[in-house]
Amino acid sequence: MEDQFPIREILHGDGKLVDSAYESKITEKLAKSLFYKMLRARMLDQKCFNLQRQGRIGTYVQYEGQEASQIGSSAALEEGDWLFPTYRDHGAMLTFGYPMQTLLLLWKGRFAGNVAPQGKNIVPPSIPIASQLPQAAGAAIAERKKGTDRVSIVYFGDGATSEGDFHEGINFASVFNAPTIFFNQNNGFAISVPIAKQMKSKTIAQKSQAYDIEGVRIDGNDVFAVYFTTLDAIKKARRGDGPTLIESVTWRYNAHTTTDDASRYRNQEESKKRRETTDPLLRVERFMKAKGWIDDNWIEQQRQGITTEINDAIEAAENYPQAGVDELFDYVFEKPTWNLEEQKRAYLDMKAGVQ
């Protein structure tokens, strides 16, 4: 089955193009833009890990190593499209316009951290596994009924493809020809379970055949392969030619979350090796340096600018007004129910010391 779904690659880990058809399509502007967005996402991820260890944010979900998958795919979207992330897709959210400060508020457990800017169709990250897939199909169908050419993209891991919601969502999209891109990030593990123990399928992409939609398999550490493949799927969806399942084969360096210990179930030497052989940022850096487009000074300038942005966002998030009791009760329904009002009143009485 791997032969039917070969992994598509444009830029190899050594920084050399393996598909010359893209020589003219990969411009200096595009390469610099994608590299900058990946660097920004990685630096924020590393900073958030440190913030969690310092107790300044709660449990955090890292994504270092998956930048090409997240940035390459979200960079192919246009204003008005829909993005349905999991709890790990901050890089994609950031690239599609989610403010850095709002992301930090999310990990501080604040309600405001779930609210996208006006006009940005980014829904709150899904914590249940795969529940966002039927929602993404529904949003795409709604846009088509409204007469727009907007599409939706939905992110999920390999473990999600074993859930019922995966099959319901992709079947729904297939039957109604929804303009939805199902973007799977396959890093080989569903938390601690290797994919060989999770499913008998050799690939994720082959699951598209059961629903008679297109399935493709790409090198998820190659940002150009991710970008151009997603772009093609989006164009197809806008034309009315239906959904696509993209399997982006990648590797995450760190654990599932900051409460997890990956050394118990994953080969850490493999992760160290991959930082040199398949890293998504390093291969683009090698490519651009060979072209003479960038040097170390350019990279350092980008780092300094991003560091300032991150520090400003942290300061703003930590100085955000303290949460009031209203946040806990007032945003559950449009009009509070009697029992919620009763609970709120009881809580306020307790706070006031009334028995």
Side-chain angles (χ1 to χ4, degrees), residues 153-311:
I153 186 168
V154 57
Y155 294 86
F156 53 99
D158 43 292
T161 68
S162 298
E163 296 281 347
D165 280 346
F166 165 80
H167 299 280
E168 292 164 11
I170 205 165
N171 183 62
F172 191 54
S174 170
V175 170
F176 291 96
N177 213 36
T180 304
I181 290 80
F182 293 92
F183 194 88
N184 168 251
Q185 294 175 83
N186 178 6
N187 72 355
F189 285 86
I191 306 183
S192 60
V193 181
I195 196 165
K197 291 186 177 179
Q198 184 200 160
M199 63 187 72
K200 200 169 183 179
S201 306
K202 301 300 182 188
T203 73
I204 301 292
Q206 73 189 69
K207 299 188 179 188
S208 63
Q209 291 189 332
Y211 302 99
D212 196 23
I213 69 170
E214 183 182 5
V216 292
R217 200 163 180 239
I218 58 176
D219 181 345
N221 300 317
D222 174 1
V223 73
F224 297 131
V226 176
Y227 174 75
F228 286 110
T229 300
T230 309
L231 201 59
D232 289 343
I234 289 173
K235 289 177 180 175
K236 187 187 79 174
R238 292 199 203 285
R239 289 195 305 267
D241 292 335
T244 302
L245 171 60
I246 298 175
E247 178 186 358
S248 186
V249 182
T250 184
W251 184 271
R252 189 179 65 248
Y253 299 130
N254 300 305
H256 178 66
T257 73
T258 49
T259 61
D260 189 19
D261 179 5
S263 67
R264 291 177 177 270
Y265 55 83
R266 281 202 329 187
N267 184 345
Q268 298 306 292
E269 291 302 315
E270 176 71 13
S271 285
K272 290 179 183 176
K273 180 182 174 185
R274 283 175 177 265
R275 286 184 183 276
E276 279 298 315
T277 59
T278 62
D279 185 78
L281 276 82
L282 187 56
R283 71 173 67 185
V284 179
E285 179 183 328
R286 286 168 172 162
F287 171 75
M288 289 200 294
K289 282 183 173 177
K291 287 275 191 182
W293 291 348
I294 64 168
D295 55 23
D296 289 340
N297 287 334
W298 183 85
I299 296 174
E300 183 55 30
Q301 287 175 3
Q302 309 313 307
R303 285 187 173 278
Q304 288 178 10
I306 294 167
T307 298
T308 300
E309 181 189 10
I310 291 174
N311 288 338

Side-chain angles (χ1 to χ4, degrees), residues 9 12-13 22 54 79 93 134 150 168 171 183 191 193 209-210 267 321 327 347 353:
E9 186 181 57
H12 192 60
Y22 288 88
Q54 294 165 5
E79 288 293 323
M93 296 169 70
R150 300 298 91 195
E168 292 164 11
N171 183 62
F183 194 88
I191 306 183
V193 181
Q209 291 189 332
N267 184 345
E327 281 195 14
Y347 177 80

Side-chain angles (χ1 to χ4, degrees), residues 7-23 26 219 222 224-225 283 287:
I7 294 179
R8 180 187 186 192
E9 186 181 57
I10 294 176
L11 183 68
H12 192 60
D14 60 8
K16 295 180 181 176
L17 279 182
V18 294
D19 190 341
S20 58
Y22 288 88
E23 182 78 48
I26 301 174
D219 181 345
D222 174 1
F224 297 131
R283 71 173 67 185
F287 171 75

Side-chain angles (χ1 to χ4, degrees), residues 329-345:
F329 295 99
D330 290 358
Y331 302 134
V332 181
F333 297 103
E334 183 180 4
K335 294 181 180 177
T337 57
W338 66 267
N339 51 341
L340 274 178
E341 288 181 335
E342 189 175 273
Q343 289 173 31
K344 182 177 179 180
R345 194 161 48 247

